[in-house]
Amino acid sequence: MELLELLTQTPSVPGRESRIRQVIADYLLQHQLVDELLTDAMGSLIGVRRPRPVPGQESPVPCKVMLAAHMDQIGFLVSHVSDDGYLRVTPAGGFDTRNLFARRVRVCTSAGDLPGVMNPAGKPIHISTPEERKKVPEIEEFFIDLGLPGADVKSRVKIGDMVVLDGPFAAVGQSVVSQCLDNRVGCWAQIRALEQLRHHACEIHAAWTVQEEVGLRGAIPAAYHVQPDIGVACDTTLCCKTPGVPDEQRVSVAGDGVCLHVMDSSAIADLDLIEQIEAVAQRQGIKCQRAILPRGGQDGAAIQRSRRGVRIAVFACPIKYIHTVAEMAHRDDLDAYYKLLAAWLETL
Ligand SMILES: [Zn+2]
């Protein structure tokens, strides 16, 4: 879990992925998990792992599999610095503003990170009217206070600097809780699967992509570069088996294993691949479940529609309270995720 913690505590919003990319690249190189590593022009990291077949079972034309986990997280870019030092921000990714009250944030400047507090403009409970307290503010109404004089803030913070919510990583019961488990879990599962792999006849191109949260942008050039036969998105999905949500809208169940997305609003996965993966899960005794996500997409859609079209599967970890600072993932699902991914890759 130390690696997952490190990934969640390294900030990277869309278009500002250099820090998380460095952490992942360092880990891959240090543990010799890939044979080649490159960063494309948009900033996606692509590691190539050549086939390691069982002797005598070499394939003359190995199947080329592309894995894609987006390494950006929802966050903000600074859009304005007022004379008295308050920051305004533009969201990069989908936030529910009800989750943004009184949040600690980190403002990442070229001269280092600054801690801050985010709040909507308005009055505290003591002096607000009942009507004022019922209103859910728009994202534009939020500001960040760095506790510094205006001139100081103006000299340190630039328009376009990245801002992330700042929350710790914690073990909670059988689960872990942190910010940006979407999608540090996918980034982590790809690494763990590479560690787990023994013999595989396929050639694996593992991509950690950029700018997914603003519309699957980085996966498009990455897929054109790799030209895979099979694409696999490694992401997260909703888990709404929680109070206040009807059972038919739960999407997935925490503890029932990694999800295979049958369909979401960006793509319909290849049914043969789903059935192959399920057969491997059954043989190996690894838990997995099917899920349909009515709204939301993932990088598999970009791979699927590249060039002449690509067959795709989507692995996704059930996440409760997704897109908040306290996202929750069950340890059994994390385990099932990388084990099933590795076991299936060994069959290709
Ligand atoms: Zn995601």
Side-chain angles (χ1 to χ4, degrees):
M1 288 295 115
E2 290 82 15
L3 175 61
L4 183 56
E5 176 169 5
L6 173 64
L7 295 173
T8 67
Q9 298 303 309
T10 305
S12 84
V13 308
R16 301 284 183 276
E17 294 93 347
S18 59
R19 286 166 69 170
I20 189 83
R21 181 171 60 238
Q22 193 64 54
V23 169
I24 295 170
D26 286 349
Y27 192 92
L28 293 171
L29 294 173
Q30 194 188 337
H31 295 82
Q32 301 181 327
L33 296 178
V34 291
D35 302 309
E36 283 169 45
L37 195 58
L38 66 94
T39 300
D40 75 10
M42 272 189 81
S44 294
L45 181 70
I46 304 173
V48 184
R49 187 170 158 115
R50 285 187 283 275
R52 287 160 172 64
V54 175
Q57 292 185 9
E58 294 83 2
S59 163
V61 188
C63 172
K64 207 193 273 187
V65 184
M66 176 178 176
L67 311 178
H70 70 86
M71 56 181 175
D72 57 323
Q73 70 193 87
I74 54 171
F76 309 91
L77 298 179
V78 173
S79 59
H80 179 75
V81 185
S82 75
D83 290 337
D84 47 0
Y86 293 111
L87 309 181
R88 298 288 176 148
V89 291
T90 296
F95 276 107
D96 180 342
T97 54
R98 292 173 301 172
N99 297 321
L100 292 178
F101 286 71
R103 288 291 170 211
R104 291 189 182 205
V105 299
R106 214 187 314 178
V107 179
C108 304
T109 77
S110 53
D113 292 358
L114 299 169
V117 173
M118 173 178 257
N119 266 305
K123 307 168 193 166
I125 186 166
H126 315 71
I127 54 170
S128 56
T129 64
E131 277 317 300
E132 284 171 327
R133 291 202 288 274
K134 270 188 218 151
K135 200 179 140 251
V136 177
E138 300 293 327
I139 194 83
E140 296 74 27
E141 297 173 56
F142 285 80
F143 65 91
I144 291 167
D145 188 340
L146 294 173
L148 290 170
D152 235 18
V153 175
K154 287 209 136 184
S155 72
R156 294 203 213 181
V157 181
K158 292 193 188 69
I159 304 292
D161 281 349
M162 137 170 92
V163 180
V164 291
L165 298 177
D166 207 0
F169 181 91
V172 175
Q174 295 173 306
S175 300
V176 295
V177 168
S178 181
Q179 64 198 335
C180 69
L181 289 178
D182 174 12
N183 183 36
R184 300 304 198 266
V185 163
C187 295
W188 171 87
Q190 274 187 193
I191 296 171
R192 295 299 316 270
L194 293 175
E195 283 179 324
Q196 183 90 356
L197 276 173
R198 291 155 304 166
H199 292 290
H200 54 94
C202 61
E203 183 173 279
I204 300 167
H205 295 247
W208 287 266
T209 63
V210 296
Q211 301 192 33
E212 190 268 0
E213 293 287 5
V214 288
L216 321 181
R217 295 181 192 173
I220 300 170
Y224 274 78
H225 168 79
V226 172
Q227 307 189 7
D229 301 307
I230 293 175
V232 185
C234 294
D235 207 322
T236 55
T237 194
L238 302 193
C239 174
C240 305
K241 193 168 164 49
T242 48
V245 184
D247 207 37
E248 66 272 20
Q249 290 178 1
R250 68 191 191 187
V251 182
S252 68
V253 179
D256 277 5
V258 61
C259 282
L260 303 174
H261 263 197
V262 173
M263 176 179 178
D264 55 39
S265 56
S266 69
I268 298 169
D270 185 279
L271 189 56
D272 288 342
L273 290 180
I274 291 174
E275 289 174 350
Q276 268 182 33
I277 298 164
E278 286 174 333
V280 172
Q282 188 152 34
R283 275 203 306 276
Q284 306 271 337
I286 303 170
K287 285 193 279 187
C288 77
Q289 55 185 314
R290 291 188 183 190
I292 289 187
L293 183 64
R295 265 203 356 247
Q298 38 64 41
D299 276 344
I303 302 172
Q304 185 178 48
R305 293 179 216 174
S306 63
R307 301 175 65 244
R308 289 172 297 171
V310 179
R311 301 164 71 203
I312 62 153
V314 180
F315 281 65
C317 185
I319 303 283
K320 290 181 182 174
Y321 325 118
I322 201 163
H323 284 202
T324 75
V325 78
E327 296 179 332
M328 180 183 266
H330 198 291
R331 281 170 184 269
D332 288 355
D333 301 336
L334 294 171
D335 253 26
Y337 198 144
Y338 74 86
K339 285 180 181 159
L340 183 55
L341 180 57
W344 173 57
L345 288 170
E346 285 179 350
T347 69
L348 294 175

